[in-house]
Amino acid sequence: MKSHYKQAMDALVLSPEAETHILTCLRRPKHRIRFRPAAIAAAVLLLALGATAAAGGVALHELPAAIIQSLQPVRLSDTDQGISMTVQSAAVEDGVFTAYITMTDERDGDRLAQGVSLYDSYRIGTPYGAGMMSFGCQPLGYDEFSKSYGYLVTIRAKDNAGQTIDFPKRKFTFSVRQLMLGQDRTKPELSLDWDTLPARPRTQQKYCFGGSYIEGYEPAQQSFGSMVDFLQPGTMDVPVADGVAITAGGFLDGKLHLLLRYDNTGPDDHGWLQLISPKDGRADVAACVSMAYREEDGTKYEELIYDITPEDLEGRVLAGEFTTGGYLLNGDWKVTFTIQDGE
């Protein structure tokens, strides 16, 4: 049986640009250091793992053990705009396509350091009979040493009745058209004077282009994609993040409503706020419904609804996370590969 080290070394994959960069770094050390052969191999291993999927059970990014074991090695790359996309490993099981993807900056820069989003531009071929496709992309973080960022991508196909459709083909083409770079992440914590929020706030009807909800709080079926009552903005101005502020608040139908204004500082500004318990400091109340509309000038408004009464708000603060700013990088990253049956 191979050692974990030998398995990891056998499974390493790097683009030609990355290999050249590694050799250059090893040939020109900044300080006079004596490298033994084993030390050089370890240095290559550490750098290369930034662009490698599960290798003998070893992976740079944290993945559940069950997922690592189910993935089959692919290790194929495509480079555009000086960034290499590598499909490190993938699997199809119970109608779910799963892939471990890395992006590596080949220009020895820090373009990925603040994080990089696939910006919902990633795709695989749609199976026959699919009426809808659902996409999920879990960021796995950035590795400073290899200048790579990782993701766990999951894609499901369903027919028009909502039933899962299996992927009949084992040959896939995974492609990405845009990357979102340079976004800022803010984790605000703020206090509001809950006693000043009106019990009957003013509202106005706006076209709700989308939203979300947690189980048990499904809004009326016609809410998303139709005219909906929103709080009237302008009664508050509480900064939350760069280009984001709470612009209205109040109680409707026994629930707390907060209206966020996004000033369009980036292509995909978004965030969330939760209520923190005064007893133990835990975030124990999240928004049960969110819904959004947009003005003609591009300003986005998002209303967050919390199932909590005015009496239960005493001593609570708001905390959350917001992602704002950044820019889009257009490109054409495409990798075609085959997943073998029974492996």
Side-chain angles (χ1 to χ4, degrees):
M1 179 180 293
K2 294 182 180 179
S3 68
H4 289 308
Y5 177 82
K6 183 64 167 63
Q7 289 175 341
M9 291 300 293
D10 289 346
L12 295 181
V13 59
L14 288 173
S15 64
E17 294 91 338
E19 291 177 353
T20 301
H21 175 64
I22 293 171
L23 293 175
T24 301
C25 291
L26 292 174
R27 288 169 184 161
R28 296 186 298 173
K30 294 181 180 179
H31 306 287
R32 297 187 63 181
I33 301 175
R34 261 188 179 170
F35 285 105
R36 298 189 304 275
I40 293 176
V44 176
L45 173 64
L46 287 173
L47 184 59
L49 278 178
T52 311
V58 178
L60 174 68
H61 302 102
E62 292 186 5
L63 289 170
I67 291 180
I68 291 179
Q69 293 171 3
S70 69
L71 296 177
Q72 298 179 29
V74 176
R75 298 191 291 272
L76 294 176
S77 302
D78 188 26
T79 302
D80 195 10
Q81 302 287 357
I83 294 176
S84 291
M85 179 189 77
T86 303
V87 179
Q88 300 287 1
S89 51
V92 174
E93 187 174 354
D94 298 329
V96 180
F97 169 86
T98 305
Y100 176 33
I101 310 293
T102 57
M103 288 284 181
T104 305
D105 192 348
E106 306 292 358
R107 293 180 180 173
D108 196 25
D110 58 356
R111 288 180 293 172
L112 312 184
Q114 288 181 261
V116 53
S117 168
L118 301 184
Y119 195 56
D120 294 333
S121 70
Y122 56 97
R123 293 291 182 270
I124 61 172
T126 303
Y128 177 77
M132 62 188 78
M133 301 283 287
S134 62
F135 299 81
C137 183
Q138 177 185 346
L140 300 175
Y142 178 72
D143 176 59
E144 177 69 31
F145 199 51
S146 63
K147 302 187 184 302
S148 67
Y149 202 94
Y151 319 83
L152 183 64
V153 172
T154 55
I155 301 176
R156 294 174 173 84
K158 295 183 179 181
D159 60 20
N160 291 324
Q163 298 298 314
T164 298
I165 294 180
D166 287 331
F167 291 89
K169 297 181 180 179
R170 294 298 173 181
K171 187 174 183 180
F172 297 89
T173 296
F174 184 85
S175 63
V176 175
R177 301 189 312 274
Q178 286 182 320
L179 299 178
M180 173 79 75
L181 300 169
Q183 290 185 297
D184 294 317
R185 286 173 175 78
T186 307
K187 294 184 177 181
E189 184 170 318
L190 57 145
S191 300
L192 296 181
D193 187 351
W194 305 115
D195 293 334
T196 64
L197 298 184
R200 295 181 180 179
R202 293 182 178 180
T203 62
Q204 59 181 358
Q205 284 217 325
K206 292 289 183 178
Y207 178 79
C208 176
F209 68 79
S212 62
Y213 56 87
I214 63 176
E215 187 176 357
Y217 291 92
E218 293 84 348
Q221 187 174 2
Q222 68 274 15
S223 295
F224 301 153
S226 64
M227 301 298 289
V228 175
D229 284 331
F230 284 87
L231 296 183
Q232 185 171 315
T235 59
M236 299 171 62
D237 188 14
V238 180
V240 174
D242 185 24
V244 186
I246 299 175
T247 185
F251 295 91
L252 290 171
D253 300 324
K255 294 181 176 59
L256 170 67
H257 289 236
L258 295 175
L259 183 66
L260 296 174
R261 183 188 69 243
Y262 290 85
D263 293 333
N264 203 26
T265 61
D268 185 33
D269 296 343
H270 60 276
W272 48 268
L273 287 171
Q274 291 182 321
L275 290 162
I276 307 300
S277 169
K279 297 179 180 179
D280 53 19
R282 292 189 306 109
D284 61 346
V285 180
C288 57
V289 178
S290 72
M291 50 189 187
Y293 72 93
R294 197 178 295 275
E295 294 286 17
E296 293 182 359
D297 62 0
T299 303
K300 183 179 76 171
Y301 291 87
E302 181 182 18
E303 190 153 322
L304 304 177
I305 304 174
Y306 303 84
D307 189 4
I308 192 169
T309 64
E311 293 75 23
D312 291 332
L313 278 171
E314 184 177 356
R316 291 182 178 271
V317 297
L318 288 165
E321 182 174 326
F322 286 82
T323 304
T324 58
Y327 63 96
L328 290 174
L329 179 67
N330 294 321
D332 185 17
W333 295 270
K334 187 179 297 183
V335 172
T336 299
F337 57 95
T338 301
I339 299 177
Q340 300 297 328
D341 288 312
E343 294 186 7

